[in-house]
Amino acid sequence: MKKRMSFKMYLSKVLFQFLLFVTITTSLDASNYVTVATIGGRPSSVDRTQEMQVTVEKVIKFWDVRLKKVLPNKPDLVVLPEACDVPMGLTRTEKDNYYQTRKNQILDYFASVAKENRCYILYSTIRQQDADGVRRNSGILLDREGKIAGIYDKNYPTIGEMEAGIKAGDDAAVLECDFGRLACAICFDLNFDELRQKYEKMDPDIIVFPSMYHGGLVQSNWAYSCRSFFVSSCGFTTLPSEVRNPLGEIVASSTNYFHYAVTTINLDSRLVHLDYNWDKLSAVKEKYGRAVTITDPGKLGAVLITSEHESVSVNQMIKEFDIELLDDYFNRSRTFRSNRLGMDAESVP
């Protein structure tokens, strides 16, 4: 005869399920590790004695070899360079012939890699947007199923690009991933504060930067001003492809020996200023120990707090110790200044 569950046993079961639910949902807000891979380089010029279909197949082979270098690391996100599926050295007429032959072959190849390896792939391509022949320099984000999760059109093509028929985009929407939010800038875009300031307001977790030039210190400026991680992928292997943290520091880079870099970043991090936070930072470190990292780049006055805890997020730590965020402190300073100026004005006879 089947025994009936006692009320006490039932209550214990319900309580256990509730605690399990709370633990799981709480841990979702804690440390958010994302493995990112950036690969530099671009296919070299074509053999003009061969048909364009052969060139398309060589481009696919080029990326197949390079992707296999990083895929064993099981990346969540792979970033490829600007116009990575277009060989260098083509004339305008040859490019037209190449695009007509290529169609979606390389898109389909990257989609199959993304699906098979359960990763996102962000790659830049020259795409024909409609039947009118409008072309864009676009960053296409493929999700873990190999489907297009979003497209960013380069907002600031070079004059040469526009003369060659590339139309500028005007949308700076953030692309959604299951681990966070991505913003995209392509090559020449990096020179324009108008785009960067849009992203500052959108608060992306990662900015991806497929490019043919490096950008130097401007990369760090974008990372810091947008409070975001920054992943660059350069089309020339002589230029490093790098990963930066929100302090603008390089945390991974390709080298003269390896054209790629792979690292794991933790998106559960926030920037705070040292002013008014010194004792609070000591207290949070004393309580959480190795479960919290405080990164100080020096000379900046700001540090990056990162939660390594499995169930306590950085925002929970900040709230627990009443730590003031960097932008909150700057805004408080602005308000204090305005109020002080008003008081001083009233005191003038």
Side-chain angles (χ1 to χ4, degrees):
M1 182 176 179
K2 190 176 181 180
K3 297 175 65 176
R4 293 182 62 188
M5 181 184 295
S6 68
F7 178 77
K8 187 175 181 181
M9 290 175 63
Y10 172 79
L11 188 62
S12 298
K13 183 178 180 181
V14 171
L15 181 60
F16 172 78
Q17 291 175 336
F18 173 76
L19 291 174
L20 181 62
F21 171 79
V22 170
T23 301
I24 293 173
T25 54
T26 301
S27 64
L28 289 175
D29 292 329
S31 51
N32 184 8
Y33 299 109
V34 180
T35 299
V36 297
T38 175
I39 309 177
R42 240 181 91 186
S44 58
S45 57
V46 300
D47 181 350
R48 289 176 169 81
T49 65
Q50 297 178 323
E51 295 181 354
M52 278 298 175
Q53 179 58 34
V54 176
T55 299
V56 172
E57 293 167 2
K58 285 186 175 181
V59 170
I60 292 174
K61 179 62 176 178
F62 175 91
W63 285 114
D64 192 60
V65 170
R66 296 209 163 199
L67 281 164
K68 283 178 178 175
K69 298 291 186 181
V70 303
L71 291 174
N73 293 282
K74 300 188 181 302
D76 297 291
L77 172 66
V78 179
V79 183
L80 304 179
E82 181 182 23
C84 69
D85 63 345
V86 183
M88 293 185 287
L90 295 178
T91 66
R92 186 177 299 187
T93 300
E94 288 171 335
K95 284 182 180 178
D96 289 337
N97 293 336
Y98 175 78
Y99 298 145
Q100 290 172 9
T101 304
R102 180 199 64 185
K103 295 185 172 64
N104 288 333
Q105 291 185 71
I106 299 176
L107 168 64
D108 293 342
Y109 162 71
F110 285 141
S112 69
V113 173
K115 183 176 182 179
E116 182 179 350
N117 293 275
R118 302 292 299 164
C119 65
Y120 288 84
I121 295 179
L122 186 289
Y123 81 101
S124 168
T125 182
I126 306 301
R127 69 184 181 98
Q128 184 164 310
Q129 188 180 24
D130 51 40
D132 295 331
V134 173
R135 285 181 179 156
R136 307 272 192 174
N137 185 339
S138 303
I140 297 180
L141 179 65
L142 300 169
D143 66 16
R144 298 186 196 270
E145 293 293 332
K147 298 177 181 177
I148 295 177
I151 296 176
Y152 165 78
D153 295 322
K154 188 174 183 179
N155 277 210
Y156 294 93
T158 64
I159 293 173
E161 283 182 285
M162 290 184 283
E163 288 177 337
I166 298 296
K167 186 175 181 180
D170 196 35
D171 188 11
V174 170
L175 309 178
E176 298 288 342
C177 298
D178 57 15
F179 53 76
R181 306 168 71 245
L182 297 187
C184 185
I186 299 176
C187 200
F188 203 53
D189 279 338
L190 206 68
N191 296 290
F192 295 90
D193 289 339
E194 301 95 310
L195 180 59
R196 177 180 55 79
Q197 288 164 359
K198 286 181 181 180
Y199 285 144
E200 285 179 11
K201 296 175 183 177
M202 295 179 183
D203 193 29
D205 296 298
I206 302 173
I207 297 173
V208 290
F209 179 57
S211 185
M212 292 302 291
Y213 99 117
H214 184 273
L217 56 85
V218 185
Q219 285 196 29
S220 295
N221 180 48
W222 271 62
Y224 178 67
S225 62
C226 293
R227 320 302 191 218
S228 304
F229 286 87
F230 190 99
V231 183
S232 68
S233 176
C234 291
F236 295 106
T237 52
T238 52
L239 300 173
S241 297
E242 298 162 327
V243 181
R244 284 173 163 74
N245 66 17
L247 292 165
E249 297 178 311
I250 298 171
V251 296
S253 176
S254 63
T255 69
N256 57 309
Y257 298 111
F258 297 96
H259 53 262
Y260 60 88
V262 184
T263 191
T264 298
I265 58 178
N266 187 349
L267 300 183
D268 193 28
S269 58
R270 302 298 295 271
L271 285 172
V272 306
H273 203 277
L274 290 172
D275 287 355
Y276 303 98
N277 283 325
W278 286 94
D279 293 339
K280 299 172 183 178
L281 291 171
S282 296
V284 73
K285 186 64 178 177
E286 182 176 352
K287 176 175 179 177
Y288 289 103
R290 289 187 294 180
V292 62
T293 301
I294 301 173
T295 304
D296 172 26
K299 304 176 184 178
L300 188 62
V303 296
L304 184 69
I305 304 180
T306 304
S307 171
E308 314 290 350
H309 202 283
E310 61 182 9
S311 60
V312 181
S313 71
V314 71
N315 285 335
Q316 290 172 312
M317 293 178 182
I318 286 168
K319 183 177 180 180
E320 179 181 355
F321 290 92
D322 193 28
I323 296 171
E324 188 172 29
L325 294 173
L326 183 65
D327 289 312
D328 290 342
Y329 176 53
F330 289 159
N331 288 332
R332 183 163 68 91
S333 299
R334 290 186 181 99
T335 300
F336 190 90
R337 175 181 179 275
S338 296
N339 293 338
R340 180 61 65 181
L341 287 173
M343 292 172 58
D344 292 344
E346 290 175 1
S347 64
V348 175

